Amino acid sequence: MSSRGLLLVLEGGEGVGKTTQWQRLADRLTQFGQDVLALREPGGTPSGDVIRELLLNPRHSLTPSAEALLFAASRAELVERSLKPALDRGAVVLLDRYLLSTYVYQGIARGLSMDGLRRINAFATGQLVPDLTLLLSLPLNEAMARTQARGEPDRLEQEARAFHERVQEGFQTATGNAWQAEYPECGPIVSVLAQGTPDEVSERCMQVLAVRWPDRFGATAARV
Ligand code: TYD
């Protein structure tokens, strides 16, 4: 895959503050004069939003494989309609969750075949590989306390603690070299500590981006 833009993904378990960081980072990247498009999974397209409702509403019951296929269907819509056109015009796409979430939630936590997930997602995305994933990490107790404070849990948040422990371990494994060699379709993954104030966390994220792309996001990069 080659494109002129950049695909930056934010990942992490429930309650790590990902949505807050996604909004802040979109603002901060825009300040560097970049054409920034912030997108979220699942959803982000008209039919993707219907699929999101199916996936997250606790009233619906789904088998693990139906769940995985619906995440992939929502992803296919998003990639084709929004993501690829934005990358082709040179935009920086900041995406809240992508393929790594599927490997961790449906693969490691639900126990589906990683190879099956790889195949349906290669079909769904046309093998669109992120340029970088920032993985926000927080101790599970802290993250779960934040989720509980948010009110009505969705279908995945309702899962037992053991499920979220597997998610946590899965994300941790993904930062290792062995994972990155085995799943190159996830692209490079960098862990960012999500403890502290939202400002401190977004500063850490920006430092990672500045080191990797000094011309775009470094101290001497042009700001608007
Ligand atoms: P969302 O409300 O977007 O929450 P969050 O702020 O945690 O991202 O819910 C998305 C849920 O879907 C979340 O529990 C993670 C899960 N998910 C998967 O299980 N597989 C996937 O491929 C994706 C993209 C998300």
Side-chain angles (χ1 to χ4, degrees):
M1 200 279 306
S2 76
S3 68
R4 291 181 297 122
L6 273 187
L7 177 54
L8 306 179
V9 178
L10 269 181
E11 288 278 10
E14 324 290 322
V16 296
K18 197 165 43 56
T19 304
T20 306
Q21 289 307 319
W22 173 70
Q23 287 160 343
R24 280 172 177 254
L25 284 177
D27 290 344
R28 293 192 66 167
L29 299 183
T30 306
Q31 286 162 12
F32 283 94
Q34 305 284 326
D35 169 8
V36 178
L37 179 66
L39 298 171
R40 296 188 74 173
E41 282 203 13
T45 62
S47 21
D49 288 340
V50 177
I51 298 172
R52 178 182 173 90
E53 213 280 321
L54 263 174
L55 279 164
L56 298 186
N57 191 324
R59 279 189 298 123
H60 304 302
S61 155
L62 293 167
T63 65
S65 51
E67 179 181 282
L69 287 162
L70 286 171
F71 276 115
S74 169
R75 183 164 298 143
E77 275 285 315
L78 192 72
V79 165
E80 185 76 26
R81 294 188 195 279
S82 307
L83 240 156
K84 276 192 179 150
L87 292 175
D88 287 344
R89 70 165 192 263
V92 176
V93 178
L94 185 63
L95 181 57
D96 184 347
R97 299 196 184 277
Y98 188 59
L99 178 59
L100 180 58
S101 274
T102 292
Y103 280 146
V104 169
Y105 283 82
Q106 281 66 53
I108 294 171
R110 290 262 190 255
L112 288 180
S113 140
M114 296 295 264
D115 193 47
L117 295 173
R118 169 178 275 154
R119 281 185 284 126
I120 60 172
N121 279 281
F123 182 67
T125 67
Q127 292 170 342
L128 182 64
V129 181
D131 293 286
L132 184 69
T133 294
L134 295 171
L135 174 56
L136 298 182
S137 60
L138 199 63
L140 189 58
N141 283 341
E142 242 176 274
M144 289 194 84
R146 286 195 199 176
T147 314
Q148 276 148 16
R150 284 205 299 237
E152 256 336 86
D154 67 32
R155 201 176 57 81
L156 283 120
E157 284 165 354
Q158 276 189 349
E159 288 290 337
R161 186 184 167 96
F163 178 87
H164 295 289
E165 278 168 2
R166 291 196 293 277
V167 167
Q168 170 98 349
E169 280 161 23
F171 277 127
Q172 182 115 35
T173 308
T175 59
N177 291 338
W179 173 282
Q180 301 199 12
E182 196 168 350
Y183 300 101
E185 62 275 30
C186 291
I189 300 166
V190 173
S191 176
V192 175
L193 180 67
Q195 267 169 333
T197 64
D199 273 347
E200 286 166 344
V201 180
S202 58
E203 195 48 44
R204 281 179 208 128
C205 293
M206 286 308 301
Q207 278 168 12
V208 173
L209 299 183
V211 167
R212 205 162 271 248
W213 292 284
D215 296 347
R216 280 189 196 239
F217 307 121
T220 56
R223 292 185 190 235
V224 292

